[in-house]
Amino acid sequence: MNYPIARKIPRAVLDAEADRLAELAGAPAHRKLGGYARLAGPGFMGAALTLGAGTLTSSMLSGATFGYRTLWLIWLSAGLGLFMMAAMARFTCRGGFRVIPVQNRRHSWVIGSLMTGLVGTAAVAVIFNFGQVALGTHLIESLAPFAGFAFPAEYNWLIYCAVTSWLILSYGRRGGRGTRLVEAVMKGGIAVMILAFGAVLLLVGVDWSAAARGFFVPWLPGGGEGLDLFIASSAAAVGVMDWVFFHYAGLGRGWGRRHESLARFDLIAGLFLPFVVINFLIIGVFAATLFPQGITPDSAPELAAALMPLLGPTWSQILFYAGFLAVPITTTVGMSLAGAMAVHEAFGWEPDTSSWRWKVSALLPQVAFLAAWNARPVWLVIAIAAFLSLANNVVGWSMYLLLNDRELLGADRCRSYLWNVGILLQVTLLNAIAVTYVFNRLGWWR
């Protein structure tokens, strides 16, 4: 194990997990799935990170504006992301190396430390957390009246930041038990989202015929509106931060060659399926409620407020808000951990979760408490989107080259044309998305 966080896990625990995986290899399908679900973690954490305020807002707007017709974008964007995530699993389980230092050696520190670590992950974690805190504090403010009191965002940010900071600082502590705790909370957050949004969808009903057409038949509105929707939906899927987080979270669990089947399961059952299911539920709720009414607010808080009168019973409103609150909380935790991992790799610091450097790096995104007053500066979003465009493209090519590097991976390098083409498609798509987003926001391309 060459990742310090994994060295804190007792050898007996790691050996027991490897033995359990060996047992499950020959077990019946139902036992294997159950065993893998209990052992999985980084994939579920990746899903919780990806299912943030931006993702859910995009799905809410899609459902409210276009009904079920954009459901196909969910599985397409997430499916393309799996090609690169599979490369991360290969680096973790078979390569056994830490990808940013390898990038520094083979492709220069500009690609590794700067573009992958600082720009593509750490800076994104800080900036994007403004949206999570703004949404989370708004939801707490909206839930408080159901308990008979007011709790405005200007004060409840203390609760939001305290809870998320405790989870962030629990990771990697107590001989691996802290990591398991965080993984359990992330899995629980995903379960809460599915149960809450699923119950609300059952309450409002589903047009299954329209949903099936939207899920399998590609459609986009014409003009700039369709382009913006495609950009928002595709950008909601995986990018550099997701690649880095899954890779280092797997290393932090002590994954090696014997864990490759678990990593694959985690990518499908922990990342892909929750992403698709939760976005389907959100689009379905808003397609069945706001879409027939012709109501299309501009932001997540406005969308949620417009939905409340259509849900009927108070319990359903509370359930929706509770499920929605799990979204920013889990994303803040995931992004903060990804940022801390990236900062340490970028500067060559050994990650010690009990050190002040780790704590400062991990809590840096909490500067977003300022979002309780101002969601996020528009100029800063445009600037980070511009850098992210370059990061996605450059880092994507770097990962592609590493996956095909004979000297680095030997016989474990990629030998699949389909895998390579899938990665190249995702890298090209992500770059086009970010460039178009920046041009649109600057008014250069309408």
Side-chain angles (χ1 to χ4, degrees):
M1 291 181 294
N2 66 350
Y3 196 54
I5 291 177
R7 294 181 201 139
K8 294 186 177 182
I9 304 174
R11 170 54 64 181
V13 173
L14 293 172
D15 289 342
E17 181 173 288
D19 292 341
R20 177 61 177 156
L21 286 172
E23 291 176 15
L24 291 171
H30 67 282
R31 280 192 57 211
K32 181 181 292 187
L33 291 176
Y36 276 4
R38 285 188 289 272
L39 294 174
F44 284 95
M45 293 177 72
L49 182 157
T50 305
L51 289 164
T55 304
L56 272 293
T57 300
S58 172
S59 292
M60 292 162 74
L61 287 169
S62 294
T65 308
F66 305 111
Y68 300 100
R69 287 180 289 182
T70 59
L71 285 170
W72 65 278
L73 282 171
I74 303 171
W75 60 261
L76 176 66
S77 57
L80 279 175
L82 287 180
F83 288 103
M84 186 65 83
M85 297 299 282
M88 298 301 106
R90 177 62 58 92
F91 297 158
T92 302
C93 297
R94 295 202 192 181
F97 53 77
R98 294 151 66 171
V99 73
I100 292 177
V102 170
Q103 287 178 297
N104 287 343
R105 291 195 302 271
R106 305 186 81 82
H107 302 154
S108 90
W109 67 269
V110 173
I111 306 298
S113 290
L114 181 61
M115 301 305 295
T116 304
L118 298 179
V119 174
T121 305
V124 171
V126 173
I127 302 306
F128 284 11
N129 198 41
F130 275 79
Q132 314 311 318
V133 176
L135 177 60
T137 53
H138 171 80
L139 292 171
I140 295 172
E141 182 176 338
S142 301
L143 276 168
F146 291 106
F149 63 93
F151 197 13
E154 290 81 359
Y155 303 105
N156 72 48
W157 67 269
L158 290 166
I159 301 296
Y160 183 92
C161 289
V163 171
T164 53
S165 295
W166 172 70
L167 288 169
I168 292 164
L169 295 180
S170 294
Y171 183 82
R173 308 296 295 275
R174 303 190 303 277
R177 292 195 299 274
T179 299
R180 284 298 197 180
L181 168 67
V182 175
E183 289 179 351
V185 170
M186 300 294 239
K187 289 179 181 178
I190 289 173
V192 168
M193 294 178 212
I194 292 174
L195 292 174
F197 299 147
V200 172
L201 185 59
L202 289 176
L203 176 69
V204 301
V206 184
D207 182 343
W208 289 108
S209 175
R213 285 196 303 273
F215 198 78
F216 294 108
V217 180
W219 174 90
L220 282 175
E225 192 176 26
L227 184 61
D228 279 345
L229 174 64
F230 186 71
I231 289 169
S233 300
S234 301
V238 294
V240 175
M241 180 164 57
D242 306 277
W243 308 338
V244 169
F245 184 61
F246 182 77
H247 170 66
Y248 281 96
L251 290 177
R253 281 281 303 277
W255 280 5
R257 283 184 173 270
R258 292 182 291 182
H259 294 82
E260 189 165 23
S261 59
L262 175 62
R264 292 171 182 165
F265 171 88
D266 211 3
L267 284 177
I268 301 298
L271 177 61
F272 178 78
L273 290 179
F275 183 90
V276 171
V277 169
I278 291 170
N279 278 287
F280 171 85
L281 295 175
I282 289 290
I283 290 177
V285 167
F286 283 84
T289 53
L290 299 195
F291 178 64
Q293 303 286 331
I295 302 172
T296 54
D298 293 327
S299 67
E302 292 174 358
L303 283 158
L307 176 67
M308 290 305 105
L310 304 177
L311 291 184
T314 300
W315 68 264
S316 63
Q317 299 178 35
I318 296 173
L319 192 61
F320 181 84
Y321 274 132
F324 210 177
L325 183 58
V327 171
I329 288 176
T330 54
T331 302
T332 289
V333 173
M335 290 198 306
S336 299
L337 293 174
M341 294 168 178
V343 166
H344 279 68
E345 293 297 277
F347 290 110
W349 301 336
E350 287 296 282
D352 178 359
T353 55
S354 62
S355 69
W356 67 267
R357 274 198 300 217
W358 175 271
K359 293 173 183 175
V360 170
S361 301
L363 295 180
L364 187 59
Q366 296 290 36
V367 70
F369 77 89
L370 295 170
W373 292 273
N374 183 15
R376 48 185 173 179
V378 175
W379 68 267
L380 200 53
V381 175
I382 292 175
I384 197 64
F387 279 112
L388 188 56
S389 164
L390 186 58
N392 279 327
N393 188 262
V394 171
V395 175
W397 278 106
S398 173
M399 299 300 185
Y400 170 80
L401 292 173
L402 291 180
L403 182 63
N404 290 274
D405 192 321
R406 184 190 300 269
E407 183 180 346
L408 179 66
L409 287 170
D412 293 324
R413 69 189 184 281
C414 177
R415 298 184 179 185
S416 166
Y417 289 113
L418 177 62
W419 193 356
N420 277 325
V421 169
I423 289 177
L424 294 178
L425 280 174
Q426 191 203 8
V427 170
T428 303
L429 177 62
L430 283 173
N431 190 56
I433 285 165
V435 168
T436 307
Y437 175 85
V438 174
F439 280 15
N440 279 347
R441 293 305 174 268
L442 291 176
W444 295 350
W445 184 359
R446 292 288 183 186

